[in-house]
Amino acid sequence: MKKLAIALSLCMPAFAQAQTDPSDWAEVLESAKGQTVYWNAWGGSTTTNDFIAWVGKRVEEDFGVTLEHVKLTDTADAVTRVISEKEAGKDTGGAIDLIWINGANFASMKEAGLLYGPFAEQLPNWAFVDTNGKTVQTDFTVPTDGYESPWAMAQVVFMYDTADISEPLTSMDAIRVWAEANPGRFTFPQPPDFLGTTFLKQALVSLTDDPQRLAEPVSDADYDTVTEPLWAYIETLTPNLWRGGEVYPQTGPAQLQLIADNEIDLAISFSPGEATAAIANGQLPDTVRTSVLDGGTLGNASFVAIPYNSSATEGAMVVANFLLSSEAQLRAQDPAILGYGTVLDMDALSEPDRAAFDALELGIATLTPSELGAVLPEPHPSWMTRIAEDWTARYGAN
């Protein structure tokens, strides 16, 4: 990550204006026909991969755009590719057309001028996006300014097996106390895995006395003071984790498998509908439910962005716009498919589309929007990078 940051700092701001005016949608559609869009996206989930394949089928049917899913294990790999092309002077004809991007990588690419746009708020389906109730115009506190388009909402929940845990654990301290009484029955993916780092961020946000400080970039001047409650908590929790905290699942799906194998009873998820979807496809027992913390849990939107040197800018915008359609959003929210939260404003939809969302069964393990409670903002992306590095230095060598 440090090498990536250095490389980004060496990139001069790039020419990132539209070749086709995003507001001229008829021209965008015409230019997109016949283009192949290489979408670099995490490939670690079968259900997500299937959804992306369905998106590809639909955009080819309706718009003549071919979508190729380039499966990643780490979004930084796509960022590194764009940087390499920039350094080689390949300012057009790049290998990547669309990236499922996270906050830290978005902040770095935006600052280095490696993104195309702005385009997101000129997409036709942007008119249906909930810009008042959902965090779709900031990403880990960084304004998106139209350089990335949202396509799903996520919020931290904890999956627990009611066969072993009778009542939900609604605070970080309750999790610690339960883990002490039930050693070896909880773990989280190993940072810097995204979900593992999310657990660290959730603990930091829940335990700090000054959450507003986390909205600003990390600083050596007060890093130790701000994170002291987090590391004190982790130090107490670690000996009571699965396998004594000596080994961690490498990914979210691997963590899910540990519940399925009855090796753990509690796991973190960033998808309120993941447990229901996993129950529906036989991955989890039907005794699993989800809960949140009394003080709220972290939430954010998933975004797609277009590199400045994309070979299929118009096709990528067509895909981004389709992801905002009621059709795609409804399918993504269906717990039998993905169970992701929608970014759309129900009041902005047509009556038939709103009725379709109302009729959607959320499933036995999915909390209603009111039950999900308060959504806490993500810390500035620099905190994620720093605490993941710090955790690795403290515990990652075990």
Side-chain angles (χ1 to χ4, degrees), residues 157-179:
V157 298
F158 287 90
M159 300 183 288
Y160 66 102
D161 193 335
T162 56
D164 300 293
I165 301 176
S166 58
E167 296 293 333
L169 306 169
T170 58
S171 70
M172 295 305 296
D173 196 51
I175 291 173
R176 178 189 59 78
V177 171
W178 176 85

Side-chain angles (χ1 to χ4, degrees), residues 317-355:
M317 284 193 284
V318 167
V319 174
N321 188 60
F322 178 77
L323 289 169
L324 292 175
S325 67
S326 291
E327 179 186 1
Q329 289 288 302
L330 191 63
R331 187 176 180 87
Q333 190 166 28
D334 187 340
I337 305 296
L338 283 183
Y340 289 179
T342 181
V343 299
L344 299 184
D345 178 358
M346 293 298 106
D347 291 336
L349 300 182
S350 67
E351 181 57 36
D353 285 345
R354 188 163 52 248

Side-chain angles (χ1 to χ4, degrees), residues 5-93:
I6 292 171
L8 282 163
S9 71
L10 296 175
C11 292
M12 295 297 290
F15 182 75
Q17 299 302 310
Q19 298 302 308
T20 297
D21 182 354
S23 65
D24 187 351
W25 195 245
E27 180 58 31
V28 170
L29 291 176
E30 184 61 30
S31 298
K33 289 179 183 175
Q35 290 186 342
T36 296
V37 174
Y38 290 92
W39 183 3
N40 284 236
W42 179 62
S45 165
T46 300
T47 54
T48 304
N49 295 345
D50 290 347
F51 176 77
I52 292 175
W54 172 82
V55 171
K57 176 175 178 291
R58 291 292 296 110
V59 296
E60 184 165 32
E61 289 173 345
D62 285 8
F63 307 106
V65 173
T66 300
L67 183 65
E68 296 287 347
H69 180 189
V70 180
K71 299 182 177 67
L72 303 178
T73 57
D74 188 339
T75 305
D77 294 341
V79 179
T80 300
R81 179 69 179 265
V82 177
I83 293 170
S84 297
E85 291 179 344
K86 173 63 179 174
E87 292 174 341
K90 193 175 180 62
D91 292 332
T92 59

Side-chain angles (χ1 to χ4, degrees), residues 218-357:
V218 67
S219 168
D220 288 339
D222 63 356
Y223 174 78
D224 289 342
T225 300
V226 174
T227 59
E228 189 280 332
L230 167 67
W231 300 123
Y233 180 87
I234 295 296
E235 190 67 19
T236 303
L237 179 68
T238 298
N240 297 311
L241 294 176
W242 178 67
R243 298 191 179 180
E246 297 290 331
V247 179
Y248 292 81
Q250 295 300 299
T251 64
Q255 177 199 227
L256 202 68
Q257 187 62 45
L258 292 179
I259 293 187
D261 294 340
N262 196 30
E263 291 205 41
I264 62 173
D265 304 318
L266 179 70
I268 189 172
S269 172
F270 218 142
S271 174
E274 182 181 16
T276 291
I279 292 170
N281 63 29
Q283 286 182 283
L284 287 180
D286 62 6
T287 50
V288 170
R289 297 292 184 272
T290 57
S291 63
V292 291
L293 306 182
D294 287 339
T297 53
L298 293 172
N300 64 34
S302 291
F303 293 91
V304 289
I306 303 172
Y308 81 103
N309 62 344
S310 163
S311 299
T313 304
E314 294 85 0
M317 284 193 284
V318 167
V319 174
N321 188 60
F322 178 77
L323 289 169
L324 292 175
S325 67
S326 291
E327 179 186 1
Q329 289 288 302
L330 191 63
R331 187 176 180 87
Q333 190 166 28
D334 187 340
I337 305 296
L338 283 183
Y340 289 179
T342 181
V343 299
L344 299 184
D345 178 358
M346 293 298 106
D347 291 336
L349 300 182
S350 67
E351 181 57 36
D353 285 345
R354 188 163 52 248
F357 278 94

